[in-house]
Amino acid sequence: MLLIDVMRLILALAGRTHELVHAETIVGRAEECDIVVVDNSVSRHHAVILLSPNGARLRDLGSRNGTAVNGILVGTDRRVRAGDRLQFGGLEGHVEAVVGDEGDRDDGWLAMQSALLVKHSSAGHTRLADTIVFRIAEAFEARGAIGERFGNDVTDAALAGVIDYAILRNRPGWIRWVMGAHAKLGIAPQNAVRRALDGVPGLVDETQQIRTSGTVPKTISIRPKQQAG
């Protein structure tokens, strides 16, 4: 299994403390599971805990009696944080700590990244600006993957900042990414994004569409490429 150097999760379960450092840790009754528990309410391969630089997640593996986080049943991946109660069938444990969780980014973090993007783009610090815009995109991707999102105001400011960056760096691919981001989030562009789009020279058809009607072509991918634009 892949070792995640920068992350580890401490799980208290069945009277033992487990330190998770791999990308995948399977919990169940079967001997080949990473964490083997003796409890008839737990399936042979019950659930998997996933670690990545974007955070820790819990996924049910089609268990008979279900998997829950803080009393809420897990279907697809569910984000887990320190203090969360995890339930595998009738067996309950809790997350004591998550160390190195870069995905635990709140609205304040996004607002700071947006301000840094504006600062470094305006100052011509291209390498720093490039790093920050990818960091913002990755954060949106990570949030979307677990069904979470940033607040509307900081989302609007951040995506407007990406458009300004795209204009300054002549990277129209990032404008298409912003439109795809709106489509994936299921929201219309707000005031800051609309104002930023006013500064886009030679608007292409899909940019004009989002600017005037607030709708987004759903065929545009949200995931940027390293050579966007």
Side-chain angles (χ1 to χ4, degrees):
M1 274 183 200
L2 177 65
L3 181 68
I4 302 297
D5 293 334
V6 297
M7 276 204 70
R8 58 191 178 94
L9 182 147
I10 310 300
L11 173 67
L13 182 68
R16 296 183 58 190
T17 298
H18 306 269
E19 182 174 0
L20 282 54
V21 295
H22 293 97
E24 297 184 3
T25 300
I26 297 177
V27 179
R29 291 194 346 265
E31 291 183 2
E32 63 268 23
C33 290
D34 302 295
I35 298 179
V36 180
V37 293
V38 181
D39 189 304
N40 289 334
S41 70
V42 177
S43 297
R44 287 179 53 78
H45 299 90
H46 194 102
V48 59
I49 298 171
L50 305 164
L51 299 183
S52 79
N54 289 322
R57 294 170 290 141
L58 179 64
R59 178 187 300 165
D60 184 77
L61 295 177
S63 66
R64 183 177 67 255
N65 293 316
T67 304
V69 178
N70 298 324
I72 301 173
L73 286 174
V74 171
T76 55
D77 292 4
R78 178 67 179 265
R79 179 72 167 276
V80 293
R81 299 179 173 87
D84 282 349
R85 292 180 294 105
L86 309 186
Q87 190 169 340
F88 307 92
L91 184 65
E92 185 171 301
H94 69 276
V95 179
E96 292 188 348
V98 180
V99 180
D101 184 353
E102 295 181 8
D104 194 12
R105 296 163 171 171
D106 58 13
D107 287 0
W109 177 90
L110 182 59
M112 179 179 295
Q113 297 303 311
S114 302
L116 289 172
L117 178 59
V118 171
K119 174 184 175 181
H120 291 302
S121 293
S122 302
H125 301 155
T126 57
R127 186 168 298 180
L128 285 171
D130 290 348
T131 298
I132 293 167
V133 79
F134 273 101
R135 188 182 299 158
I136 289 172
E138 288 167 358
F140 273 100
E141 290 285 352
R143 283 267 171 140
I146 57 175
E148 296 182 1
R149 64 176 62 181
F150 294 104
N152 289 340
D153 290 343
V154 292
T155 292
D156 186 34
L159 296 180
V162 173
I163 294 172
D164 291 338
Y165 158 90
I167 296 171
L168 285 171
R169 298 279 285 122
N170 192 25
R171 297 285 182 85
W174 281 106
I175 298 173
R176 292 191 292 272
W177 177 82
V178 168
M179 291 188 284
H182 281 87
K184 196 165 187 179
L185 292 168
I187 61 174
Q190 303 302 305
N191 292 334
V193 167
R194 288 177 177 275
R195 287 193 298 270
L197 287 171
D198 284 338
V200 178
L203 289 173
V204 294
D205 290 343
E206 65 264 26
T207 308
Q208 180 68 26
Q209 181 181 351
I210 189 175
R211 177 175 173 270
T212 58
S213 68
T215 59
V216 185
K218 295 186 180 300
T219 56
I220 297 175
S221 172
I222 189 173
R223 187 174 295 279
K225 304 227 181 318
Q226 285 291 336
Q227 300 298 324

